[in-house]
Amino acid sequence: MNGRSGPHLRVPVGDDAHRWSTFRGEKTLIVAARTVTSTARVLECLPALLRGDSRVTVVFAYDPTSAFSDGVLDLLHDAGCRIVPWSQLGSIAPDLILSASENIDVPEGDCPVLVLPHGVGFQKLVPDSRAPRSRLSGVVPDSLLESGRAWLAVSHPDQEQQLLATHPKTAGRTLLIGDPCFDELTVSLPQAAAYRRALGVADGRRLVVVSSTWGPTSLLGRYPQLPAELLAALPYDEYRVAAVIHPNVWSAHGSWQIRTLQAAALEAGLLLMPPVHAWRSALVAASVVVGDHGSVTLMGAALGKPVLLAAFGSDAVPGTAVAHLGQAAPQLDDPRGDLRQQIEDAVQGHIPERYAAICDLAFAEPGLALTRLRATLYRLLKLAEPTSNTPPVLSLPHPDPPAATVTSWLVTTAATAAAAEHSMVAVRRHPAAVSGDRQEAADTFVHLACDEEERDHRLTESASVVVRRRPADTAVSALGWIRETLHRLPGSLVAAVPLNGNSFLLGTRDGPIVEATVTGPTIDPGLPAALVYTCLRAGLPLDGVFMTLRIGDVREEVGLRLRLPSDSRQ
C-alpha cells in the first residue's frame, strides 16, 4: 500500500480518495494531534515548511487519549485542518508521522516518526500516563526507539547528552534542529512596542506578563491569586498585567473554571491571553516576566526580559537550562511585601545580557530552526527539498486585546503647594475590584471613581466621582448628563464627561461647572476628574488656572476655568 490509493484508504476525502481528490500528492504526512500544546506547536511551524508544495498531502489524526485532549478538535477545526480519527490510521500508509507529543501510540508500520519538542528541551518530569510514576517529558517510549522509526528533534547538542545519560536507547535518534518558536520570538522583538499598543498598553506603561506552567508546583498551582495581587499593587495608569497560562490548565480545568477563579483580576483589567498562539506576542511585548519553571519563563529570560520567579517546582530537571534559571533569577518575595517595588527593582536593575549564558544552554545557533526542520522533513519523506528560498521566519501578528474594560477605581491623589500659582496633583488609580480599603494619609485623598457603565450598583452608589467615556455631542448634552447623574447619585461629588479629544466638562455637587482642557495627548476622563476632586478637597482654585497632572512619570498640563451651567456651546 503506497498511501495514495486502495479500497480502505480515507485520505483526504474518504474511501477511494484517488477518485475524489483535487490535489494529487505524492507523499502523505500524518500530523498526530493529541494535546493542545503539541498540536499548536506543529500548526505554528508546518505552513512555512510546506509552503506551496502540492506534492505533500497533510492529514491530522486526532488522538483523544490524553488527559489534556480537550480543545484539540476546536483548534484543528479553527485552523481548517482535515481530520481523521486515530483509529483509522490502520487504513492509511503514511510516509511520515509528525508530532510534538511524544506519548502517542504509533500504529505498526515502517514509516518514520518525527517528534518535535513542545517546550524547551527535556526539562520537566511529568506523570506517566502508562504507569504510576514520573517520566521525562519529551521522550518517546522505548519500544518506538527500538523500532528505529523515531527521531527526536533537539534545540541544543547538550540535550543529546542528557538523553543518552537517562535514556540510552535514544543513541543515534536525535536531530539538532533548534527551536522555531524561539526564532520567531527573536525576530519579532523590534515589534515589541507595537504589540504593547495592540494589547491596549499605552506608551510609557509597563506590561507585566505572569507565566504559569501546569501542575501543583506551578505558579498558579501555588499562588492562584497572584494576578489579582499584582493588579492591586501596580498603578492602573502605569502598568498592565497579562497572564499566559499553559494550555494543559485550560484543557484540564476549562475556561469557565479559570475565569471564575480569576474573576476579580479580570474585572481589574487582566489580559488573559488565549492559550494558543497569542501568548507569543504578549511575551515579546513584556516589560518583565513573573513566572516559574515553565518554558515561557525561560524563553522570556532568553529574550533579555527581566524575570522574577514566583514558584519553581521540584519537577524541574537538574542540569537543564531552566534549572540554571531557577538558581540565577531573583525570587518574588512574600506577596505581603511590596510587589510594586519588587517589579520596579527587577526592571530598573536588569541587564539584558543577564541570562545570555543560560540562553546558550537551551538554543544552539538561533535563526536556523525552520531551515533545518524543512530539510529533515523532506529527507524523511524521501522527497527533494524545494529549490525555492529557505522558509522565512516571520514576525508575529499583532494580538487582539483580551481584557475587559475596567469600570471602577480606587484613586489616591496628592496635591503639592502652588509654585508661581502652578500647583501639581499626583494621581494613582487602582482597579476597585482588587483594591480593598485604602486609608487617607495626612497628605493624600482617596476616593472611589466609577464609569457610568459599572455593573455593580453598590460601587456606583458609593462613588465620589462618576465618569462617562463617550464624548458628548454638545456642551448642552454634557450638562444634561451631569445634572441627571448628580441627581441620580446623591453621594457623588463630581461627574465628568469628555467634550472632545482634550476637553472635559465636570459638574460638582455644589453647582459650579468646570471645563478642563489638557494640552497634551488624549487622556482618560477619570484623570481630570481626579484633579478636580482633589482641588475641591484641598481648597485649590478652579478658575483661570493651569495645573500639572502627574501620573507616574508622565506629566500633563491642564487648564481649568469655571463655566455657568447656562454657558453652553452648541
Side-chain angles (χ1 to χ4, degrees):
M1 196 172 184
N2 62 11
R4 269 73 63 195
S5 64
H8 303 297
L9 189 63
R10 298 182 60 84
V11 178
V13 287
D15 293 331
D16 295 330
H18 65 288
R19 299 177 60 197
W20 317 114
S21 299
T22 299
F23 305 120
R24 299 300 180 95
E26 300 175 28
K27 300 288 183 176
T28 299
L29 170 64
I30 296 293
V31 175
R34 186 169 184 269
T35 67
V36 171
T37 311
S38 58
T39 304
R41 177 56 66 97
V42 174
L43 288 173
E44 287 165 359
C45 65
L46 192 57
L49 304 178
L50 299 178
R51 185 184 180 101
D53 193 342
S54 62
R55 296 175 300 166
V56 182
T57 296
V58 180
V59 178
F60 292 77
Y62 171 55
D63 177 358
T65 60
S66 171
F68 305 115
S69 62
D70 186 66
V72 173
L73 284 177
D74 291 337
L75 175 60
L76 293 175
H77 286 305
D78 288 345
C81 300
R82 182 66 171 91
I83 308 166
V84 298
W86 194 259
S87 59
Q88 290 187 4
L89 282 190
S91 63
I92 302 172
D95 298 284
L96 174 64
I97 296 175
L98 175 66
S99 179
S101 174
E102 74 279 7
N103 209 21
I104 56 174
D105 290 319
V106 178
E108 293 183 3
D110 57 4
C111 78
V113 180
L114 177 58
V115 181
L116 307 179
H118 55 262
V120 181
F122 308 87
Q123 61 182 26
K124 188 175 182 181
L125 298 173
V126 297
D128 192 336
S129 62
R130 294 181 171 88
R133 61 173 183 265
S134 295
R135 63 175 179 82
L136 183 63
S137 178
V139 183
V140 300
D142 283 351
S143 58
L144 190 56
L145 292 168
E146 291 168 351
S147 72
R149 299 171 60 193
W151 295 94
L152 301 181
V154 299
S155 62
H156 194 281
D158 286 355
Q159 294 165 11
E160 179 182 4
Q161 301 305 313
Q162 174 198 357
L163 291 177
L164 285 174
T166 57
H167 293 72
K169 292 181 181 179
T170 61
R173 310 311 303 173
T174 58
L175 299 167
L176 179 61
I177 299 295
D179 192 305
C181 182
F182 181 67
D183 289 354
E184 195 173 44
L185 293 169
T186 302
V187 79
S188 300
L189 275 175
Q191 298 293 321
Y195 297 150
R196 280 193 290 272
R197 288 192 292 271
L199 288 169
V201 184
D203 292 343
R205 272 181 168 177
R206 289 172 176 160
L207 176 63
V208 179
V209 170
V210 178
S211 168
S212 179
T213 187
W214 63 278
T217 66
S218 67
L219 182 150
L220 286 183
R222 290 184 171 175
Y223 195 3
Q225 70 273 27
L226 181 59
E229 296 273 0
L230 285 168
L231 286 159
L234 300 173
Y236 174 80
D237 296 296
E238 301 170 47
Y239 288 89
R240 295 301 300 271
V241 177
V244 173
I245 302 175
H246 196 286
N248 283 2
V249 183
W250 293 84
S251 291
H253 299 282
S255 62
W256 183 91
Q257 181 77 70
I258 292 172
R259 292 182 180 278
T260 299
L261 289 173
Q262 298 298 326
L266 290 168
E267 291 173 7
L270 177 69
L271 295 158
L272 183 58
M273 303 309 298
V276 178
H277 307 319
W279 67 268
R280 299 171 296 165
S281 49
L283 185 63
V284 171
S287 307
V288 59
V289 178
V290 180
D292 54 18
H293 54 294
S295 293
V296 174
T297 307
L298 178 59
M299 286 186 173
L303 291 174
K305 306 291 183 179
V307 170
L308 280 170
L309 295 175
F312 205 86
S314 58
D315 44 341
V317 177
T320 58
V322 78
H324 287 288
L325 179 65
Q327 298 169 352
Q331 304 285 322
L332 191 71
D333 291 338
D334 190 312
R336 288 171 294 186
D338 191 334
L339 286 176
R340 180 187 172 210
Q341 191 61 54
Q342 293 179 68
I343 295 291
E344 292 184 349
D345 289 346
V347 173
Q348 294 170 2
H350 180 64
I351 300 172
E353 297 78 19
R354 177 172 185 171
Y355 304 113
I358 293 174
C359 172
D360 291 343
L361 294 175
F363 308 106
E365 302 179 45
L368 299 177
L370 282 179
T371 299
R372 287 175 168 170
L373 184 55
R374 188 174 78 165
T376 296
L377 198 72
Y378 278 92
R379 178 170 59 82
L380 294 176
L381 284 169
K382 297 180 180 179
L383 270 180
E385 188 176 357
T387 57
S388 59
N389 294 331
T390 57
V393 182
L394 303 177
S395 297
L396 297 164
H398 287 196
D400 295 323
T405 301
V406 178
T407 53
S408 58
W409 304 263
L410 205 62
V411 186
T412 303
T413 62
T416 63
E421 298 186 357
H422 196 99
S423 299
M424 181 168 67
V425 172
V427 177
R428 183 164 290 158
R429 299 192 295 172
H430 294 83
V434 294
S435 293
D437 293 329
R438 294 176 186 260
Q439 300 300 317
E440 291 188 349
D443 57 346
T444 63
F445 303 103
V446 177
H447 70 270
L448 175 65
C450 288
D451 188 279
E452 66 169 343
E453 297 181 359
E454 170 60 53
R455 296 172 60 196
D456 190 336
H457 297 293
R458 296 170 302 174
L459 291 175
T460 306
E461 292 169 359
S462 302
S464 298
V465 172
V466 180
V467 299
R468 190 178 101 173
R469 284 197 173 95
R470 291 180 298 109
D473 295 330
T474 65
V476 171
S477 63
L479 291 170
W481 179 85
I482 288 170
R483 284 193 296 268
E484 188 276 331
T485 299
L486 292 176
H487 175 74
R488 178 171 52 89
L489 300 171
S492 297
L493 185 63
V494 175
V497 58
L499 288 176
N500 52 49
N502 62 357
S503 182
F504 306 84
L505 279 189
L506 304 102
T508 64
R509 171 63 53 189
D510 294 335
I513 300 296
V514 181
E515 182 176 5
T517 303
V518 181
T519 59
T522 301
I523 63 174
D524 187 281
L527 295 170
L531 184 146
V532 169
Y533 172 88
T534 305
C535 289
L536 292 172
R537 291 285 307 274
L540 296 174
L542 292 171
D543 190 24
V545 295
F546 272 92
M547 305 189 75
T548 298
L549 177 64
R550 182 165 67 85
I551 313 107
D553 294 330
V554 177
R555 286 169 170 77
E556 301 284 356
E557 298 302 311
V558 183
L560 301 178
R561 75 179 182 97
L562 288 180
R563 293 183 57 182
L564 294 175
S566 59
D567 175 21
S568 59
R569 294 173 295 184
Q570 299 297 324

